[in-house]
């Protein structure tokens, strides 16, 4: 059974629209899924009470509960949950409606035992003369992915575990509940289709209110306190991280320094990626080759964003590229490395399917020119594939890197190692694609070849790690 919970406070005839949008779902109208619609009269006026009495007599699926006084949406929803009989729970406000295919879209995803909540986008519809809220809508559909209880379907076990609504919150109780879901690492799937139609009419509770009025800062403080009390160090994923079927833009960032000999081969592996939603950013870090490398980038990848900076090192170049990036995911590629054609698609697919993972690497194989003489600190070049932590193997969520402040450009070498250390210290979950998706080339211009610089960089990283363990980072 499905239990649909609706708080009611001084609503009008639009309640019929909301109820009918539930009853017109194919799975309900054909008898496949029994439904109860629980209306909670939250201290409404006489006119609304009379309407509710009429509705209860008109719709046999309706259960009417009453609060003697107005207690707010959180209390109304909790009352509905206490009386709900369904193993599936959903919500609809009295002035909204469900698209006719909401259940058809969402029900299959709850067959997955690891998924507790499924939802989709919200489509906004404004009444005549009512301005739309100031949000980043899709310009064609007026849809957006954000927190709204009316767009989701939830397994009953989530609420039975104690995750109900905070009745001390007049506003943003839904945001607080979404934070609880992520703190408890519940399985969430958000689709690209609309699963709620939100009607904007000027009397909406939260439209055009400020974050202070919505009590959002207080809600975030509650979340931080809960995580401290339970010793949770992992940052929470963002709502957009749960969009499993989204094909996000990936920003590929290549630092370039006198790379004319290898850059074309590297660019070709970007062009050969099977994943199409890619933007390429090349940062020339003050090359001294009279623009030879930049010219090749312009000729072989004319759609790339190409910028030139004074020579400040590879970490600064990567940070410059990150600052120009628009992608949800970030990937880095050195000017002399190569990707397998499905490297981007494999890592995007993994991050989309695992929203609690912040970064992912892949395996690599090492290649060298025949005449290469290895540096003294390497006895031989490994020939088997193995997990790689170099930037060319890495893909991470853009907000993850932003939270760390990017690569550390103060290090003479080893900034990539420092990034991995910082990712782990911050508690971001990691994963690896166990396939050789990176071909790493060795030659005498590799940074690793400069053993003195590398040694100095690694010593500095170890010093910092030691200071962290003592509780005070000294730079």
């Amino acid at each position: 059974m499905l239990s649909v919970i609706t708080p009611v406070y001084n609503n009008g005839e639009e309640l019929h629209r909301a109820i009918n949008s539930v009853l017109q779902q194919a799975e309900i109208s054909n008898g496949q899924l029994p439904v109860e619609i629980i209306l909670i009269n939250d201290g409404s006026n006489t006119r609304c009470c009379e309407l509710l009495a009429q509705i209860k007599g008109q719709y046999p699926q309706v259960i009417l509960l009453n609060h003697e006084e107005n207690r707010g949406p959180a209390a109304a929803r909790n009352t509905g949950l206490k009386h709900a009989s369904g193993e599936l729970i959903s919500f609809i406000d009295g002035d909204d409606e469900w698209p006719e295919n909401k259940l058809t879209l969402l029900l299959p995803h709850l067959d997955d035992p690891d998924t507790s909540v499924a939802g989709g986008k919200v489509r906004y519809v404004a009444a005549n003369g009512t301005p739309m809220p100031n949000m980043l809508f899709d310009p064609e559909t007026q849809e957006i992915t954000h927190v709204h209880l009316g767009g989701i379907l939830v397994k009953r076990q989530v609420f039975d575990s104690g995750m109900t609504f905070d009745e001390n919150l007049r506003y943003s109780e839904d945001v607080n509940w979404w934070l609880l879901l992520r703190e408890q690492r519940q399985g969430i799937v958000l689709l690209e289709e609309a699963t709620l139609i939100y009607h904007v009419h000027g009397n909406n509770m939260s439209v055009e209110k400020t974050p202070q009025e919505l009590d959002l800062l207080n809600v975030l403080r509650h979340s931080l306190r809960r995580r401290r009390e339970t010793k949770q160090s992992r940052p929470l994923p963002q709502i957009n991280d749960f969009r499993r079927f989204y094909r996000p833009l990936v920003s590929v960032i290549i630092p370039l320094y006198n790379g004319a000999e290898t850059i074309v081969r590297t660019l070709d592996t970007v062009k050969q990626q099977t994943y199409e939603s890619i933007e390429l950013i090349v940062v020339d870090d003050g090359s001294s080759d009279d623009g030879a490398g930049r010219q090749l980038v312009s000729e072989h990848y004319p759609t790339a964003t190409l910028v030139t900076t004074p020579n400040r090192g590879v970490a600064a170049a990567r940070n410059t590229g990150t600052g120009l990036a628009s992608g949800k995911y970030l990937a880095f590629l050195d000017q002399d490395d190569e990707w397998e054609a499905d490297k981007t698609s494999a890592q995007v697919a993994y991050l989309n399917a695992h929203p609690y993972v912040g970064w992912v690497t892949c395996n690599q194989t090492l290649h060298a020119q025949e005449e290469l003489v290895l540096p003294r600190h390497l006895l031989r070049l490994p020939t088997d594939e193995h997990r790689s932590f170099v930037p060319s193997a890495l893909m991470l969520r853009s907000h993850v890197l932003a939270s760390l402040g990017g690569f550390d450009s103060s290090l003479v070498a080893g900034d990539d190692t420092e990034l991995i250390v910082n990712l782990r210290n911050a508690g971001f979950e990691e994963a690896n694609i166990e396939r050789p998706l990176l071909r790493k080339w060795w030659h005498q211009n590799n940074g690793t070849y400069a053993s003195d610089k590398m040694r100095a960089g690694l010593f500095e990283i170890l010093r910092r790690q030691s200071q962290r363990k003592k509780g005070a980072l000294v730079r």
Side-chain angles (χ1 to χ4, degrees):
M1 175 178 278
L2 169 65
S3 299
V4 181
I5 296 171
T6 301
V8 178
Y9 179 65
N10 295 345
N11 288 92
E13 294 293 332
E14 70 276 2
L15 274 168
H16 288 283
R17 180 183 64 201
I19 294 168
N20 286 323
S21 74
V22 174
L23 298 178
Q24 289 169 7
Q25 301 289 307
E27 293 77 5
I28 293 174
S29 62
N30 65 18
Q32 175 185 344
L33 180 64
V35 67
E36 61 181 9
I37 302 174
I38 304 175
L39 305 183
I40 302 91
N41 178 12
D42 192 33
S44 297
N45 58 28
T46 302
R47 179 189 57 80
C48 183
C49 291
E50 293 172 352
L51 174 63
L52 288 170
Q54 172 202 331
I55 286 174
K56 187 178 186 305
Q58 182 176 347
Y59 300 97
Q61 301 90 346
V62 166
I63 297 171
L64 180 59
L65 306 173
N66 291 285
H67 286 173
E68 292 300 322
E69 58 184 24
N70 181 256
R71 294 167 51 193
R77 293 190 182 104
N78 286 340
T79 296
L81 288 169
K82 289 174 184 176
H83 292 80
S85 303
E87 64 276 7
L88 295 175
I89 305 291
S90 194
F91 303 91
I92 186 170
D93 288 347
D95 50 358
D96 295 332
E97 62 181 310
W98 286 359
E100 61 182 12
N101 61 344
K102 172 183 173 174
L103 294 182
T104 302
L105 289 169
L106 298 183
L107 281 169
H109 296 283
L110 292 184
D111 290 336
D112 182 349
D114 294 327
T115 300
S116 300
V117 180
K121 292 186 175 182
V122 180
R123 182 184 308 143
Y124 277 68
V125 178
N128 290 336
T130 304
M132 289 286 281
N134 184 22
M135 297 180 177
L136 295 175
F137 295 107
D138 181 309
E140 295 183 1
T141 63
Q142 298 299 301
E143 295 174 358
I144 191 171
T145 298
H146 73 78
V147 174
H148 203 297
L149 297 173
I152 63 173
L153 195 59
V154 188
K155 290 179 179 175
R156 174 63 179 264
Q157 65 199 39
V158 172
F159 299 103
D160 289 344
S161 69
M163 272 187 280
T164 54
F165 300 98
D166 187 342
E167 298 184 17
N168 294 315
L169 294 169
R170 185 71 179 182
Y171 297 104
S172 298
E173 79 289 343
D174 49 354
V175 177
N176 185 67
W177 184 78
W178 273 98
L179 287 165
L180 280 168
L181 282 180
R182 288 178 281 163
E183 291 164 24
Q184 298 296 322
R185 300 178 58 74
Q186 296 287 335
I188 303 169
V189 175
L190 297 180
L191 309 186
E192 296 307 296
E193 296 86 359
T195 53
L196 178 69
I197 301 171
Y198 183 95
H199 287 272
V200 183
H201 46 68
N203 293 319
N204 304 89
M205 278 190 66
S206 58
V207 171
E208 299 300 342
K209 282 187 166 56
T210 66
Q212 291 78 11
E213 291 173 317
L214 293 173
D215 216 10
L216 284 172
L217 294 178
N218 191 35
V219 167
L220 294 174
R221 280 194 291 267
H222 285 335
S223 177
L224 286 171
R225 175 181 50 77
R226 289 192 298 264
R227 281 182 275 163
R228 289 193 188 104
E229 289 174 352
T230 56
K231 295 181 170 56
Q232 292 186 42
S233 61
R234 296 187 182 102
L236 298 180
Q238 297 182 349
I239 292 296
N240 277 333
D241 292 337
F242 296 98
R243 295 171 66 182
R244 186 174 297 182
F245 303 97
Y246 178 46
R247 291 184 62 80
L249 179 67
V250 175
S251 298
V252 177
I253 298 164
I254 300 179
L256 177 67
Y257 182 75
N258 295 348
E261 293 183 1
T262 60
I263 190 62
V264 172
R265 184 185 67 202
T266 299
L267 291 172
D268 284 344
T269 69
V270 178
K271 290 193 288 187
Q272 291 162 8
Q273 292 299 296
T274 57
Y275 190 82
E276 296 178 353
S277 185
I278 287 176
E279 67 170 4
L280 177 64
I281 301 169
V282 180
V283 181
D284 187 321
D285 185 39
S287 295
S288 58
D289 59 0
D290 295 324
R294 294 195 301 275
Q295 181 64 31
L296 290 171
V297 172
S298 298
E299 292 174 357
H300 288 267
Y301 212 118
T303 59
T305 298
L306 177 59
V307 297
T308 303
T309 65
N311 181 251
R312 295 178 296 168
V314 66
R318 292 189 183 113
N319 288 340
T320 296
T322 300
L324 298 170
S326 303
K328 177 183 176 183
Y329 299 151
L330 300 175
F332 300 91
L333 182 59
D334 287 349
Q335 65 187 24
D336 48 4
D337 292 339
E338 303 172 40
W339 285 344
E340 296 296 339
D342 61 339
K343 191 262 189 189
T344 307
S345 60
Q347 291 184 317
V348 167
Y350 193 93
L351 288 175
N352 278 1
H354 300 85
Y356 291 98
V357 171
W359 56 286
V360 61
T361 55
C362 66
N363 287 357
Q364 70 176 4
T365 54
L366 298 180
H367 304 264
Q369 298 170 343
E370 291 183 5
E371 66 274 15
L372 178 71
V373 177
L374 291 174
R376 287 177 299 173
H377 62 285
L378 279 180
L379 297 177
R380 65 180 181 86
L381 196 67
T383 56
D384 56 329
E385 69 169 86
H386 54 277
R387 185 179 184 184
S388 176
F389 293 96
V390 300
S392 295
L394 177 67
M395 181 179 287
L396 72 172
R397 303 181 193 275
S398 59
H399 67 82
V400 168
L401 186 61
S403 72
L404 299 178
F407 292 84
D408 189 340
S409 59
S410 71
L411 290 167
V412 295
D415 57 278
D416 50 352
T417 303
E418 171 80 344
L419 177 67
I420 300 300
V421 170
N422 289 340
L423 285 166
R424 287 176 167 172
N425 285 340
F428 288 107
E429 288 192 38
E430 63 185 89
N432 185 55
I433 307 297
E434 298 289 344
R435 289 195 288 123
L437 301 177
L438 169 63
R439 298 189 296 276
K440 181 73 180 173
W441 280 88
W442 273 68
H443 50 78
Q444 293 189 1
N445 292 323
N446 281 115
T448 312
Y449 228 82
S451 57
D452 291 340
K453 281 188 176 182
M454 181 58 64
R455 193 177 298 115
L458 291 177
F459 279 148
E460 174 62 15
I461 292 168
L462 290 172
R463 184 190 71 80
R464 294 178 182 183
Q465 185 73 348
S466 175
Q467 292 294 331
R468 290 188 188 101
K469 289 181 179 179
K470 293 177 182 178
L473 174 60
V474 178
R475 292 188 182 231

